[in-house]
Amino acid sequence: MSMNNKLLIMGLLLILAACGGKNQQQSESGSVNKQTEEYIRQRIDTIYKTVGKSVVDAEGNRVDYISNNFNRDSAYCSQRYYALMQQALKVCEKMDEVLYDYDHWVCGQDFSEDWSYQVKKVYQVTDSTALVDLAIHNFNDKETTIALRFERDDWYIDDFCPSEDGEDDKAYLRRVILQDEKAQGTELTFDNIAGVYDDEEQESRFCLTSDGTATWGMIGSLNFTEYTYRIKGNTICLSPKGVASEEDCYEYNSQTRTLKNEQGTVYYRQEE
């Protein structure tokens, strides 16, 4: 092969390498930063753009928003919020009661033909949480706040916070569940305390079992510490297996279904 041909091939290889590097650079720089206010506003538009609207089914028939069988809660709420809602629904079904007498998406029992929403403010944005203030027009103007949670590679609604009574939906759902527990005269036992508890940042996890044993570890890690635990009133005290050390005690709050230690770290029970 002549020197000129060798130089030509080397030049082509360098050009191809440069093009490949450029494409990779564009791909890396083209990734969407989903923790920005701009993206969160777009996500809210995706979630809310069909709220209060009538749709057309596959046969061309008009389906009112209220009659539409699309499960917006399942599609756009966080997994833990939706699980809490399902648990509260089961309680209400057992007691032959209605869980909601309003629609938290439209902020009312019905919706006006000119129903609309506007994102007023996006704030307190972290890697996993954010708050959004909305202005809702439904017969009249009102304001509300929704809490977002980042999971499954996107933002989902983790709580609705009606401004009229100042109580968020999760507090209401937990109260419904707590009322059922009180009605059954439930005492704190290994059976009803057993479950998975994650800290607020979902970095570490307790797994309490019904046989009085437990494990603690960082989420995603294969390493964990084994414990035994005892129940004293509303306090859960854990002792590492095979290690002579003082117990770590956590106060159990049956209303919020949380464990809280003396340092103020809170672990939230994950609903099945």
mmCIF file with all atom_site columns, all heavy atoms in Angstrom, residues 105-129:
data_model
loop_
_atom_site.group_PDB
_atom_site.id
_atom_site.type_symbol
_atom_site.label_atom_id
_atom_site.label_alt_id
_atom_site.label_comp_id
_atom_site.label_asym_id
_atom_site.label_entity_id
_atom_site.label_seq_id
_atom_site.pdbx_PDB_ins_code
_atom_site.Cartn_x
_atom_site.Cartn_y
_atom_site.Cartn_z
_atom_site.occupancy
_atom_site.B_iso_or_equiv
_atom_site.pdbx_formal_charge
_atom_site.auth_seq_id
_atom_site.auth_comp_id
_atom_site.auth_asym_id
_atom_site.auth_atom_id
_atom_site.pdbx_PDB_model_num
ATOM 1   N N   . TRP A 1 105 ? -58.712 16.273 41.715 1.00 0.00 ? 105 TRP A N   1
ATOM 2   C CA  . TRP A 1 105 ? -58.094 16.773 40.477 1.00 0.00 ? 105 TRP A CA  1
ATOM 3   C C   . TRP A 1 105 ? -58.753 18.072 40.013 1.00 0.00 ? 105 TRP A C   1
ATOM 4   O O   . TRP A 1 105 ? -58.079 18.988 39.549 1.00 0.00 ? 105 TRP A O   1
ATOM 5   C CB  . TRP A 1 105 ? -58.202 15.717 39.376 1.00 0.00 ? 105 TRP A CB  1
ATOM 6   C CG  . TRP A 1 105 ? -57.367 14.509 39.641 1.00 0.00 ? 105 TRP A CG  1
ATOM 7   C CD1 . TRP A 1 105 ? -57.767 13.308 40.149 1.00 0.00 ? 105 TRP A CD1 1
ATOM 8   C CD2 . TRP A 1 105 ? -55.958 14.393 39.443 1.00 0.00 ? 105 TRP A CD2 1
ATOM 9   N NE1 . TRP A 1 105 ? -56.706 12.448 40.274 1.00 0.00 ? 105 TRP A NE1 1
ATOM 10  C CE2 . TRP A 1 105 ? -55.580 13.079 39.844 1.00 0.00 ? 105 TRP A CE2 1
ATOM 11  C CE3 . TRP A 1 105 ? -54.970 15.254 38.954 1.00 0.00 ? 105 TRP A CE3 1
ATOM 12  C CZ2 . TRP A 1 105 ? -54.262 12.617 39.770 1.00 0.00 ? 105 TRP A CZ2 1
ATOM 13  C CZ3 . TRP A 1 105 ? -53.668 14.796 38.884 1.00 0.00 ? 105 TRP A CZ3 1
ATOM 14  C CH2 . TRP A 1 105 ? -53.324 13.493 39.286 1.00 0.00 ? 105 TRP A CH2 1
ATOM 15  N N   . VAL A 1 106 ? -60.071 18.152 40.127 1.00 0.00 ? 106 VAL A N   1
ATOM 16  C CA  . VAL A 1 106 ? -60.767 19.370 39.688 1.00 0.00 ? 106 VAL A CA  1
ATOM 17  C C   . VAL A 1 106 ? -61.029 20.317 40.843 1.00 0.00 ? 106 VAL A C   1
ATOM 18  O O   . VAL A 1 106 ? -61.503 21.435 40.638 1.00 0.00 ? 106 VAL A O   1
ATOM 19  C CB  . VAL A 1 106 ? -62.103 19.036 38.975 1.00 0.00 ? 106 VAL A CB  1
ATOM 20  C CG1 . VAL A 1 106 ? -61.863 18.177 37.751 1.00 0.00 ? 106 VAL A CG1 1
ATOM 21  C CG2 . VAL A 1 106 ? -63.084 18.364 39.932 1.00 0.00 ? 106 VAL A CG2 1
ATOM 22  N N   . CYS A 1 107 ? -60.732 19.852 42.077 1.00 0.00 ? 107 CYS A N   1
ATOM 23  C CA  . CYS A 1 107 ? -60.978 20.657 43.282 1.00 0.00 ? 107 CYS A CA  1
ATOM 24  C C   . CYS A 1 107 ? -62.464 20.971 43.440 1.00 0.00 ? 107 CYS A C   1
ATOM 25  O O   . CYS A 1 107 ? -62.867 22.125 43.590 1.00 0.00 ? 107 CYS A O   1
ATOM 26  C CB  . CYS A 1 107 ? -60.153 21.948 43.268 1.00 0.00 ? 107 CYS A CB  1
ATOM 27  S SG  . CYS A 1 107 ? -58.397 21.688 43.514 1.00 0.00 ? 107 CYS A SG  1
ATOM 28  N N   . GLY A 1 108 ? -63.273 19.940 43.401 1.00 0.00 ? 108 GLY A N   1
ATOM 29  C CA  . GLY A 1 108 ? -64.706 20.121 43.598 1.00 0.00 ? 108 GLY A CA  1
ATOM 30  C C   . GLY A 1 108 ? -65.444 18.822 43.328 1.00 0.00 ? 108 GLY A C   1
ATOM 31  O O   . GLY A 1 108 ? -64.858 17.820 42.906 1.00 0.00 ? 108 GLY A O   1
ATOM 32  N N   . GLN A 1 109 ? -66.759 18.824 43.578 1.00 0.00 ? 109 GLN A N   1
ATOM 33  C CA  . GLN A 1 109 ? -67.570 17.648 43.310 1.00 0.00 ? 109 GLN A CA  1
ATOM 34  C C   . GLN A 1 109 ? -67.896 17.526 41.836 1.00 0.00 ? 109 GLN A C   1
ATOM 35  O O   . GLN A 1 109 ? -68.176 16.441 41.339 1.00 0.00 ? 109 GLN A O   1
ATOM 36  C CB  . GLN A 1 109 ? -68.851 17.711 44.139 1.00 0.00 ? 109 GLN A CB  1
ATOM 37  C CG  . GLN A 1 109 ? -68.607 17.574 45.638 1.00 0.00 ? 109 GLN A CG  1
ATOM 38  C CD  . GLN A 1 109 ? -69.899 17.623 46.431 1.00 0.00 ? 109 GLN A CD  1
ATOM 39  O OE1 . GLN A 1 109 ? -70.847 18.321 46.068 1.00 0.00 ? 109 GLN A OE1 1
ATOM 40  N NE2 . GLN A 1 109 ? -69.935 16.893 47.537 1.00 0.00 ? 109 GLN A NE2 1
ATOM 41  N N   . ASP A 1 110 ? -67.881 18.627 41.137 1.00 0.00 ? 110 ASP A N   1
ATOM 42  C CA  . ASP A 1 110 ? -68.158 18.653 39.706 1.00 0.00 ? 110 ASP A CA  1
ATOM 43  C C   . ASP A 1 110 ? -67.192 19.628 39.066 1.00 0.00 ? 110 ASP A C   1
ATOM 44  O O   . ASP A 1 110 ? -66.389 20.259 39.762 1.00 0.00 ? 110 ASP A O   1
ATOM 45  C CB  . ASP A 1 110 ? -69.607 19.079 39.454 1.00 0.00 ? 110 ASP A CB  1
ATOM 46  C CG  . ASP A 1 110 ? -70.129 18.573 38.120 1.00 0.00 ? 110 ASP A CG  1
ATOM 47  O OD1 . ASP A 1 110 ? -69.300 18.146 37.284 1.00 0.00 ? 110 ASP A OD1 1
ATOM 48  O OD2 . ASP A 1 110 ? -71.349 18.609 37.906 1.00 0.00 ? 110 ASP A OD2 1
ATOM 49  N N   . PHE A 1 111 ? -67.251 19.774 37.755 1.00 0.00 ? 111 PHE A N   1
ATOM 50  C CA  . PHE A 1 111 ? -66.356 20.725 37.106 1.00 0.00 ? 111 PHE A CA  1
ATOM 51  C C   . PHE A 1 111 ? -67.140 21.611 36.147 1.00 0.00 ? 111 PHE A C   1
ATOM 52  O O   . PHE A 1 111 ? -68.104 21.179 35.518 1.00 0.00 ? 111 PHE A O   1
ATOM 53  C CB  . PHE A 1 111 ? -65.223 20.001 36.368 1.00 0.00 ? 111 PHE A CB  1
ATOM 54  C CG  . PHE A 1 111 ? -65.670 19.228 35.152 1.00 0.00 ? 111 PHE A CG  1
ATOM 55  C CD1 . PHE A 1 111 ? -65.589 19.791 33.884 1.00 0.00 ? 111 PHE A CD1 1
ATOM 56  C CD2 . PHE A 1 111 ? -66.161 17.947 35.273 1.00 0.00 ? 111 PHE A CD2 1
ATOM 57  C CE1 . PHE A 1 111 ? -65.992 19.089 32.774 1.00 0.00 ? 111 PHE A CE1 1
ATOM 58  C CE2 . PHE A 1 111 ? -66.567 17.235 34.158 1.00 0.00 ? 111 PHE A CE2 1
ATOM 59  C CZ  . PHE A 1 111 ? -66.482 17.807 32.903 1.00 0.00 ? 111 PHE A CZ  1
ATOM 60  N N   . SER A 1 112 ? -66.726 22.844 36.081 1.00 0.00 ? 112 SER A N   1
ATOM 61  C CA  . SER A 1 112 ? -67.378 23.790 35.177 1.00 0.00 ? 112 SER A CA  1
ATOM 62  C C   . SER A 1 112 ? -66.845 23.614 33.758 1.00 0.00 ? 112 SER A C   1
ATOM 63  O O   . SER A 1 112 ? -65.736 23.105 33.550 1.00 0.00 ? 112 SER A O   1
ATOM 64  C CB  . SER A 1 112 ? -67.136 25.226 35.649 1.00 0.00 ? 112 SER A CB  1
ATOM 65  O OG  . SER A 1 112 ? -65.749 25.509 35.717 1.00 0.00 ? 112 SER A OG  1
ATOM 66  N N   . GLU A 1 113 ? -67.628 24.029 32.778 1.00 0.00 ? 113 GLU A N   1
ATOM 67  C CA  . GLU A 1 113 ? -67.214 23.885 31.376 1.00 0.00 ? 113 GLU A CA  1
ATOM 68  C C   . GLU A 1 113 ? -65.950 24.680 31.083 1.00 0.00 ? 113 GLU A C   1
ATOM 69  O O   . GLU A 1 113 ? -65.188 24.331 30.185 1.00 0.00 ? 113 GLU A O   1
ATOM 70  C CB  . GLU A 1 113 ? -68.347 24.343 30.451 1.00 0.00 ? 113 GLU A CB  1
ATOM 71  C CG  . GLU A 1 113 ? -69.552 23.411 30.446 1.00 0.00 ? 113 GLU A CG  1
ATOM 72  C CD  . GLU A 1 113 ? -69.215 22.032 29.912 1.00 0.00 ? 113 GLU A CD  1
ATOM 73  O OE1 . GLU A 1 113 ? -68.354 21.930 29.013 1.00 0.00 ? 113 GLU A OE1 1
ATOM 74  O OE2 . GLU A 1 113 ? -69.796 21.046 30.409 1.00 0.00 ? 113 GLU A OE2 1
ATOM 75  N N   . ASP A 1 114 ? -65.717 25.743 31.844 1.00 0.00 ? 114 ASP A N   1
ATOM 76  C CA  . ASP A 1 114 ? -64.506 26.546 31.624 1.00 0.00 ? 114 ASP A CA  1
ATOM 77  C C   . ASP A 1 114 ? -63.423 26.223 32.648 1.00 0.00 ? 114 ASP A C   1
ATOM 78  O O   . ASP A 1 114 ? -62.586 27.061 32.970 1.00 0.00 ? 114 ASP A O   1
ATOM 79  C CB  . ASP A 1 114 ? -64.842 28.031 31.649 1.00 0.00 ? 114 ASP A CB  1
ATOM 80  C CG  . ASP A 1 114 ? -65.434 28.483 32.990 1.00 0.00 ? 114 ASP A CG  1
ATOM 81  O OD1 . ASP A 1 114 ? -65.840 27.604 33.786 1.00 0.00 ? 114 ASP A OD1 1
ATOM 82  O OD2 . ASP A 1 114 ? -65.490 29.694 33.233 1.00 0.00 ? 114 ASP A OD2 1
ATOM 83  N N   . TRP A 1 115 ? -63.454 24.982 33.173 1.00 0.00 ? 115 TRP A N   1
ATOM 84  C CA  . TRP A 1 115 ? -62.434 24.571 34.135 1.00 0.00 ? 115 TRP A CA  1
ATOM 85  C C   . TRP A 1 115 ? -61.045 24.796 33.549 1.00 0.00 ? 115 TRP A C   1
ATOM 86  O O   . TRP A 1 115 ? -60.788 24.500 32.376 1.00 0.00 ? 115 TRP A O   1
ATOM 87  C CB  . TRP A 1 115 ? -62.604 23.085 34.486 1.00 0.00 ? 115 TRP A CB  1
ATOM 88  C CG  . TRP A 1 115 ? -61.699 22.622 35.606 1.00 0.00 ? 115 TRP A CG  1
ATOM 89  C CD1 . TRP A 1 115 ? -62.030 22.521 36.912 1.00 0.00 ? 115 TRP A CD1 1
ATOM 90  C CD2 . TRP A 1 115 ? -60.327 22.216 35.507 1.00 0.00 ? 115 TRP A CD2 1
ATOM 91  N NE1 . TRP A 1 115 ? -60.953 22.083 37.654 1.00 0.00 ? 115 TRP A NE1 1
ATOM 92  C CE2 . TRP A 1 115 ? -59.888 21.892 36.815 1.00 0.00 ? 115 TRP A CE2 1
ATOM 93  C CE3 . TRP A 1 115 ? -59.417 22.109 34.469 1.00 0.00 ? 115 TRP A CE3 1
ATOM 94  C CZ2 . TRP A 1 115 ? -58.605 21.446 37.095 1.00 0.00 ? 115 TRP A CZ2 1
ATOM 95  C CZ3 . TRP A 1 115 ? -58.123 21.685 34.737 1.00 0.00 ? 115 TRP A CZ3 1
ATOM 96  C CH2 . TRP A 1 115 ? -57.734 21.356 36.037 1.00 0.00 ? 115 TRP A CH2 1
ATOM 97  N N   . SER A 1 116 ? -60.146 25.305 34.381 1.00 0.00 ? 116 SER A N   1
ATOM 98  C CA  . SER A 1 116 ? -58.778 25.545 33.911 1.00 0.00 ? 116 SER A CA  1
ATOM 99  C C   . SER A 1 116 ? -57.823 25.533 35.093 1.00 0.00 ? 116 SER A C   1
ATOM 100 O O   . SER A 1 116 ? -58.235 25.574 36.255 1.00 0.00 ? 116 SER A O   1
ATOM 101 C CB  . SER A 1 116 ? -58.682 26.888 33.181 1.00 0.00 ? 116 SER A CB  1
ATOM 102 O OG  . SER A 1 116 ? -58.949 27.963 34.071 1.00 0.00 ? 116 SER A OG  1
ATOM 103 N N   . TYR A 1 117 ? -56.556 25.445 34.794 1.00 0.00 ? 117 TYR A N   1
ATOM 104 C CA  . TYR A 1 117 ? -55.523 25.474 35.826 1.00 0.00 ? 117 TYR A CA  1
ATOM 105 C C   . TYR A 1 117 ? -54.364 26.323 35.328 1.00 0.00 ? 117 TYR A C   1
ATOM 106 O O   . TYR A 1 117 ? -54.186 26.546 34.133 1.00 0.00 ? 117 TYR A O   1
ATOM 107 C CB  . TYR A 1 117 ? -55.017 24.058 36.131 1.00 0.00 ? 117 TYR A CB  1
ATOM 108 C CG  . TYR A 1 117 ? -54.119 23.511 35.057 1.00 0.00 ? 117 TYR A CG  1
ATOM 109 C CD1 . TYR A 1 117 ? -52.728 23.630 35.148 1.00 0.00 ? 117 TYR A CD1 1
ATOM 110 C CD2 . TYR A 1 117 ? -54.663 22.938 33.909 1.00 0.00 ? 117 TYR A CD2 1
ATOM 111 C CE1 . TYR A 1 117 ? -51.910 23.171 34.133 1.00 0.00 ? 117 TYR A CE1 1
ATOM 112 C CE2 . TYR A 1 117 ? -53.847 22.472 32.901 1.00 0.00 ? 117 TYR A CE2 1
ATOM 113 C CZ  . TYR A 1 117 ? -52.476 22.590 33.012 1.00 0.00 ? 117 TYR A CZ  1
ATOM 114 O OH  . TYR A 1 117 ? -51.659 22.147 32.004 1.00 0.00 ? 117 TYR A OH  1
ATOM 115 N N   . GLN A 1 118 ? -53.577 26.787 36.252 1.00 0.00 ? 118 GLN A N   1
ATOM 116 C CA  . GLN A 1 118 ? -52.373 27.541 35.914 1.00 0.00 ? 118 GLN A CA  1
ATOM 117 C C   . GLN A 1 118 ? -51.309 27.270 36.976 1.00 0.00 ? 118 GLN A C   1
ATOM 118 O O   . GLN A 1 118 ? -51.594 27.313 38.173 1.00 0.00 ? 118 GLN A O   1
ATOM 119 C CB  . GLN A 1 118 ? -52.661 29.045 35.850 1.00 0.00 ? 118 GLN A CB  1
ATOM 120 C CG  . GLN A 1 118 ? -51.452 29.884 35.457 1.00 0.00 ? 118 GLN A CG  1
ATOM 121 C CD  . GLN A 1 118 ? -51.755 31.374 35.458 1.00 0.00 ? 118 GLN A CD  1
ATOM 122 O OE1 . GLN A 1 118 ? -52.854 31.793 35.813 1.00 0.00 ? 118 GLN A OE1 1
ATOM 123 N NE2 . GLN A 1 118 ? -50.796 32.175 35.060 1.00 0.00 ? 118 GLN A NE2 1
ATOM 124 N N   . VAL A 1 119 ? -50.118 26.946 36.525 1.00 0.00 ? 119 VAL A N   1
ATOM 125 C CA  . VAL A 1 119 ? -49.006 26.756 37.453 1.00 0.00 ? 119 VAL A CA  1
ATOM 126 C C   . VAL A 1 119 ? -48.520 28.128 37.896 1.00 0.00 ? 119 VAL A C   1
ATOM 127 O O   . VAL A 1 119 ? -48.022 28.909 37.088 1.00 0.00 ? 119 VAL A O   1
ATOM 128 C CB  . VAL A 1 119 ? -47.854 25.965 36.801 1.00 0.00 ? 119 VAL A CB  1
ATOM 129 C CG1 . VAL A 1 119 ? -46.683 25.835 37.780 1.00 0.00 ? 119 VAL A CG1 1
ATOM 130 C CG2 . VAL A 1 119 ? -48.329 24.584 36.363 1.00 0.00 ? 119 VAL A CG2 1
ATOM 131 N N   . LYS A 1 120 ? -48.665 28.417 39.176 1.00 0.00 ? 120 LYS A N   1
ATOM 132 C CA  . LYS A 1 120 ? -48.269 29.723 39.695 1.00 0.00 ? 120 LYS A CA  1
ATOM 133 C C   . LYS A 1 120 ? -46.818 29.740 40.175 1.00 0.00 ? 120 LYS A C   1
ATOM 134 O O   . LYS A 1 120 ? -46.104 30.723 40.017 1.00 0.00 ? 120 LYS A O   1
ATOM 135 C CB  . LYS A 1 120 ? -49.189 30.125 40.852 1.00 0.00 ? 120 LYS A CB  1
ATOM 136 C CG  . LYS A 1 120 ? -50.663 30.214 40.477 1.00 0.00 ? 120 LYS A CG  1
ATOM 137 C CD  . LYS A 1 120 ? -50.932 31.334 39.491 1.00 0.00 ? 120 LYS A CD  1
ATOM 138 C CE  . LYS A 1 120 ? -50.783 32.696 40.142 1.00 0.00 ? 120 LYS A CE  1
ATOM 139 N NZ  . LYS A 1 120 ? -51.151 33.794 39.215 1.00 0.00 ? 120 LYS A NZ  1
ATOM 140 N N   . LYS A 1 121 ? -46.397 28.612 40.785 1.00 0.00 ? 121 LYS A N   1
ATOM 141 C CA  . LYS A 1 121 ? -45.064 28.618 41.392 1.00 0.00 ? 121 LYS A CA  1
ATOM 142 C C   . LYS A 1 121 ? -44.544 27.194 41.530 1.00 0.00 ? 121 LYS A C   1
ATOM 143 O O   . LYS A 1 121 ? -45.287 26.300 41.930 1.00 0.00 ? 121 LYS A O   1
ATOM 144 C CB  . LYS A 1 121 ? -45.131 29.295 42.774 1.00 0.00 ? 121 LYS A CB  1
ATOM 145 C CG  . LYS A 1 121 ? -43.791 29.469 43.478 1.00 0.00 ? 121 LYS A CG  1
ATOM 146 C CD  . LYS A 1 121 ? -44.003 30.155 44.828 1.00 0.00 ? 121 LYS A CD  1
ATOM 147 C CE  . LYS A 1 121 ? -42.692 30.341 45.591 1.00 0.00 ? 121 LYS A CE  1
ATOM 148 N NZ  . LYS A 1 121 ? -42.909 30.961 46.924 1.00 0.00 ? 121 LYS A NZ  1
ATOM 149 N N   . VAL A 1 122 ? -43.283 26.993 41.198 1.00 0.00 ? 122 VAL A N   1
ATOM 150 C CA  . VAL A 1 122 ? -42.581 25.734 41.434 1.00 0.00 ? 122 VAL A CA  1
ATOM 151 C C   . VAL A 1 122 ? -41.436 26.041 42.402 1.00 0.00 ? 122 VAL A C   1
ATOM 152 O O   . VAL A 1 122 ? -40.621 26.921 42.133 1.00 0.00 ? 122 VAL A O   1
ATOM 153 C CB  . VAL A 1 122 ? -42.022 25.136 40.126 1.00 0.00 ? 122 VAL A CB  1
ATOM 154 C CG1 . VAL A 1 122 ? -41.245 23.856 40.408 1.00 0.00 ? 122 VAL A CG1 1
ATOM 155 C CG2 . VAL A 1 122 ? -43.146 24.871 39.125 1.00 0.00 ? 122 VAL A CG2 1
ATOM 156 N N   . TYR A 1 123 ? -41.378 25.335 43.523 1.00 0.00 ? 123 TYR A N   1
ATOM 157 C CA  . TYR A 1 123 ? -40.376 25.706 44.525 1.00 0.00 ? 123 TYR A CA  1
ATOM 158 C C   . TYR A 1 123 ? -39.992 24.506 45.392 1.00 0.00 ? 123 TYR A C   1
ATOM 159 O O   . TYR A 1 123 ? -40.577 23.423 45.265 1.00 0.00 ? 123 TYR A O   1
ATOM 160 C CB  . TYR A 1 123 ? -40.882 26.843 45.398 1.00 0.00 ? 123 TYR A CB  1
ATOM 161 C CG  . TYR A 1 123 ? -42.205 26.596 46.103 1.00 0.00 ? 123 TYR A CG  1
ATOM 162 C CD1 . TYR A 1 123 ? -42.263 26.366 47.466 1.00 0.00 ? 123 TYR A CD1 1
ATOM 163 C CD2 . TYR A 1 123 ? -43.414 26.624 45.394 1.00 0.00 ? 123 TYR A CD2 1
ATOM 164 C CE1 . TYR A 1 123 ? -43.464 26.170 48.123 1.00 0.00 ? 123 TYR A CE1 1
ATOM 165 C CE2 . TYR A 1 123 ? -44.626 26.405 46.038 1.00 0.00 ? 123 TYR A CE2 1
ATOM 166 C CZ  . TYR A 1 123 ? -44.645 26.179 47.395 1.00 0.00 ? 123 TYR A CZ  1
ATOM 167 O OH  . TYR A 1 123 ? -45.841 25.970 48.029 1.00 0.00 ? 123 TYR A OH  1
ATOM 168 N N   . GLN A 1 124 ? -38.985 24.719 46.232 1.00 0.00 ? 124 GLN A N   1
ATOM 169 C CA  . GLN A 1 124 ? -38.440 23.673 47.110 1.00 0.00 ? 124 GLN A CA  1
ATOM 170 C C   . GLN A 1 124 ? -38.106 22.407 46.318 1.00 0.00 ? 124 GLN A C   1
ATOM 171 O O   . GLN A 1 124 ? -38.422 21.280 46.731 1.00 0.00 ? 124 GLN A O   1
ATOM 172 C CB  . GLN A 1 124 ? -39.409 23.362 48.254 1.00 0.00 ? 124 GLN A CB  1
ATOM 173 C CG  . GLN A 1 124 ? -39.585 24.515 49.226 1.00 0.00 ? 124 GLN A CG  1
ATOM 174 C CD  . GLN A 1 124 ? -40.397 24.143 50.465 1.00 0.00 ? 124 GLN A CD  1
ATOM 175 O OE1 . GLN A 1 124 ? -40.535 22.982 50.806 1.00 0.00 ? 124 GLN A OE1 1
ATOM 176 N NE2 . GLN A 1 124 ? -40.936 25.156 51.129 1.00 0.00 ? 124 GLN A NE2 1
ATOM 177 N N   . VAL A 1 125 ? -37.461 22.590 45.181 1.00 0.00 ? 125 VAL A N   1
ATOM 178 C CA  . VAL A 1 125 ? -37.118 21.460 44.317 1.00 0.00 ? 125 VAL A CA  1
ATOM 179 C C   . VAL A 1 125 ? -35.836 20.798 44.799 1.00 0.00 ? 125 VAL A C   1
ATOM 180 O O   . VAL A 1 125 ? -34.809 21.454 44.985 1.00 0.00 ? 125 VAL A O   1
ATOM 181 C CB  . VAL A 1 125 ? -36.942 21.922 42.858 1.00 0.00 ? 125 VAL A CB  1
ATOM 182 C CG1 . VAL A 1 125 ? -36.603 20.738 41.960 1.00 0.00 ? 125 VAL A CG1 1
ATOM 183 C CG2 . VAL A 1 125 ? -38.197 22.629 42.355 1.00 0.00 ? 125 VAL A CG2 1
ATOM 184 N N   . THR A 1 126 ? -35.902 19.492 45.050 1.00 0.00 ? 126 THR A N   1
ATOM 185 C CA  . THR A 1 126 ? -34.725 18.690 45.363 1.00 0.00 ? 126 THR A CA  1
ATOM 186 C C   . THR A 1 126 ? -34.639 17.578 44.321 1.00 0.00 ? 126 THR A C   1
ATOM 187 O O   . THR A 1 126 ? -35.415 17.544 43.361 1.00 0.00 ? 126 THR A O   1
ATOM 188 C CB  . THR A 1 126 ? -34.810 18.083 46.771 1.00 0.00 ? 126 THR A CB  1
ATOM 189 O OG1 . THR A 1 126 ? -35.827 17.059 46.782 1.00 0.00 ? 126 THR A OG1 1
ATOM 190 C CG2 . THR A 1 126 ? -35.154 19.142 47.809 1.00 0.00 ? 126 THR A CG2 1
ATOM 191 N N   . ASP A 1 127 ? -33.727 16.653 44.523 1.00 0.00 ? 127 ASP A N   1
ATOM 192 C CA  . ASP A 1 127 ? -33.619 15.531 43.590 1.00 0.00 ? 127 ASP A CA  1
ATOM 193 C C   . ASP A 1 127 ? -34.866 14.656 43.609 1.00 0.00 ? 127 ASP A C   1
ATOM 194 O O   . ASP A 1 127 ? -35.186 14.002 42.612 1.00 0.00 ? 127 ASP A O   1
ATOM 195 C CB  . ASP A 1 127 ? -32.399 14.663 43.931 1.00 0.00 ? 127 ASP A CB  1
ATOM 196 C CG  . ASP A 1 127 ? -31.093 15.364 43.584 1.00 0.00 ? 127 ASP A CG  1
ATOM 197 O OD1 . ASP A 1 127 ? -31.125 16.330 42.790 1.00 0.00 ? 127 ASP A OD1 1
ATOM 198 O OD2 . ASP A 1 127 ? -30.039 14.942 44.107 1.00 0.00 ? 127 ASP A OD2 1
ATOM 199 N N   . SER A 1 128 ? -35.583 14.650 44.736 1.00 0.00 ? 128 SER A N   1
ATOM 200 C CA  . SER A 1 128 ? -36.710 13.718 44.863 1.00 0.00 ? 128 SER A CA  1
ATOM 201 C C   . SER A 1 128 ? -38.045 14.371 45.210 1.00 0.00 ? 128 SER A C   1
ATOM 202 O O   . SER A 1 128 ? -39.081 13.702 45.159 1.00 0.00 ? 128 SER A O   1
ATOM 203 C CB  . SER A 1 128 ? -36.390 12.667 45.933 1.00 0.00 ? 128 SER A CB  1
ATOM 204 O OG  . SER A 1 128 ? -36.112 13.297 47.178 1.00 0.00 ? 128 SER A OG  1
ATOM 205 N N   . THR A 1 129 ? -38.064 15.663 45.566 1.00 0.00 ? 129 THR A N   1
ATOM 206 C CA  . THR A 1 129 ? -39.312 16.302 45.967 1.00 0.00 ? 129 THR A CA  1
ATOM 207 C C   . THR A 1 129 ? -39.437 17.705 45.376 1.00 0.00 ? 129 THR A C   1
ATOM 208 O O   . THR A 1 129 ? -38.441 18.332 45.034 1.00 0.00 ? 129 THR A O   1
ATOM 209 C CB  . THR A 1 129 ? -39.411 16.407 47.508 1.00 0.00 ? 129 THR A CB  1
ATOM 210 O OG1 . THR A 1 129 ? -38.299 17.181 47.996 1.00 0.00 ? 129 THR A OG1 1
ATOM 211 C CG2 . THR A 1 129 ? -39.396 15.029 48.152 1.00 0.00 ? 129 THR A CG2 1
#
